[in-house]
Amino acid sequence: MTLTLEMLRDNYVFESSPARDDLGLLHVPFDDLIGSERTERRLGGAVRRGECTALIGVSGCGKSSVVAHILGPAVEGVAPLVIPLAAMPANTIDTPAHLVDHLLGTVTRQAVNVAAAIDIELSVATRIETEISARRSRVAAGWGWLKGDLAREVGQQTTMERDATFSDKTDALIQVLALIAEGELQPVLVFDDTDRWLRNGGLTLMRGFFGEGVRWLLELPAGLVVAVHPDYFIESPRQQLLQFVDTQIEVPVIPEPAHIAAILARRVEVYAEVERPDLCSVFADDTVGAVHDVYLNTGSLRRAIQVCHSAVHEALDAGAPQLTAAHIKVAANAG
């Protein structure tokens, strides 16, 4: 099958914001690209040892993709509890008392949605399937391990009385994590969307989360993965901010255009369903180098791929048979 620009456009190959479950599938491990064991392998080991791990890198560099690859639905023996933060108000995690409410609320919502899908009993098979699919769509990506009786038990365990104390809530969360572990799964709390949220919360909130918050989280029988933007260290020294972190992993810089080509080719394989795609049929000789330049200038792999998406439209609008460095530069300058 000959790859064309139309195929890239029609299959949204370079769509820059894929679903979370797609991130792991699309991810080309940094360890494989640059020949090291400093990123995915270190994170995988830390997760299985139940450590607290900081994954450090700028926005768009690939932190979420690394997490999705290591803690994705195809990985056995782990139970990632993906906790949303970016859209939450500041007082969601300003203290452990608020943080435990957010954790229990998130776990309860996922368990209730899964249990509801299981409990549906309708007479028409197609209606059953439609309703179950609708229910499952409400379960956030990354929670694929939460199934069957486990979902029911987790939901029951997180049902709290209104006057429950902080200690009561903490005990309930510990029991949930123990319940997960009984199923031979390593529970891992995942906070990988902290970039915008923590920066908007200011220095006090940032220090509170990485201080009192993380210290409390470490008392729970679970691993912990937290995304960390390096700009945090401008306002608070790294050694001080990450004092309770066991393992610090910096997302590496992708050094060569050939590595970018491998990442782009993976997206073609997944979205256009083309095995071992020949990018030369749609990319001119200077194109990948220009994409790599965008990446180096911004530090963002997400931005470089987004530019490719816009550039494909630029090239097709111009009637060009291939994507060139000029198309990439125009798309990059257009913002």
Side-chain angles (χ1 to χ4, degrees), residues 30-252:
F30 290 103
D31 287 349
D32 294 344
L33 285 175
I34 63 180
S36 75
E37 297 187 358
R38 303 294 300 169
T39 308
E40 289 84 6
R41 289 176 179 81
R42 280 191 73 202
L43 178 60
V47 160
R48 294 186 182 280
R49 291 190 298 271
E51 295 179 357
C52 174
T53 304
L55 193 59
I56 304 166
V58 299
S59 297
C61 72
K63 297 191 297 296
S64 293
S65 295
V66 170
V67 171
H69 177 76
I70 295 300
L71 298 172
V75 180
E76 297 181 355
V78 294
L81 289 77
V82 182
I83 310 299
L85 290 181
M88 299 294 113
N91 63 1
T92 300
I93 63 164
D94 58 348
T95 65
H98 288 157
L99 185 55
V100 72
D101 284 337
H102 184 46
L103 291 176
L104 284 174
T106 300
V107 173
T108 301
R109 283 192 298 274
Q110 304 310 322
V112 167
N113 284 333
V114 172
I118 296 168
D119 291 339
I120 291 171
E121 294 180 1
L122 297 176
S123 58
V124 181
T126 54
R127 288 179 62 194
I128 293 175
E129 185 59 34
T130 299
E131 182 67 14
I132 289 176
S133 296
R135 289 284 188 175
R136 285 177 179 165
S137 69
R138 300 176 197 171
V139 179
W143 292 75
W145 54 270
L146 188 58
K147 302 174 182 177
D149 290 339
L150 178 59
R152 291 193 185 93
E153 292 180 54
V154 167
Q156 293 170 358
Q157 187 65 52
T158 56
T159 300
M160 304 295 299
E161 300 293 336
R162 289 193 175 186
D163 59 351
T165 65
F166 171 68
S167 179
D168 292 335
K169 295 172 183 178
T170 300
D171 288 343
L173 188 56
I174 289 173
Q175 290 301 315
V176 166
L177 297 172
L179 192 62
I180 294 169
E182 286 176 7
E184 298 184 353
L185 295 172
Q186 170 64 52
V188 185
L189 298 168
V190 180
F191 299 86
D192 75 341
D193 65 346
T194 63
D195 287 6
R196 290 170 297 166
W197 192 91
L198 282 177
R199 279 199 282 178
N200 290 341
L203 179 60
T204 300
L205 181 59
M206 188 190 310
R207 285 178 174 169
F209 176 77
F210 284 100
E212 189 180 7
V214 170
R215 183 165 52 188
W216 172 75
L217 288 168
L218 290 178
E219 296 177 5
L220 304 175
L224 176 62
V225 176
V226 182
V228 177
H229 196 291
D231 282 359
Y232 297 171
F233 307 139
I234 296 174
E235 296 185 320
S236 188
R238 176 168 175 166
Q239 184 176 1
Q240 176 183 339
L241 191 69
L242 303 183
Q243 60 181 310
F244 300 118
V245 172
D246 300 307
T247 302
Q248 299 179 28
I249 300 174
E250 296 191 40
V251 176

Side-chain angles (χ1 to χ4, degrees), residues 276-298:
R276 299 180 182 179
D278 179 12
L279 294 183
C280 294
S281 60
V282 289
F283 281 19
D285 292 342
D286 57 355
T287 306
V288 173
V291 177
H292 188 245
D293 288 341
V294 172
Y295 164 74
L296 291 179
N297 290 334
T298 62

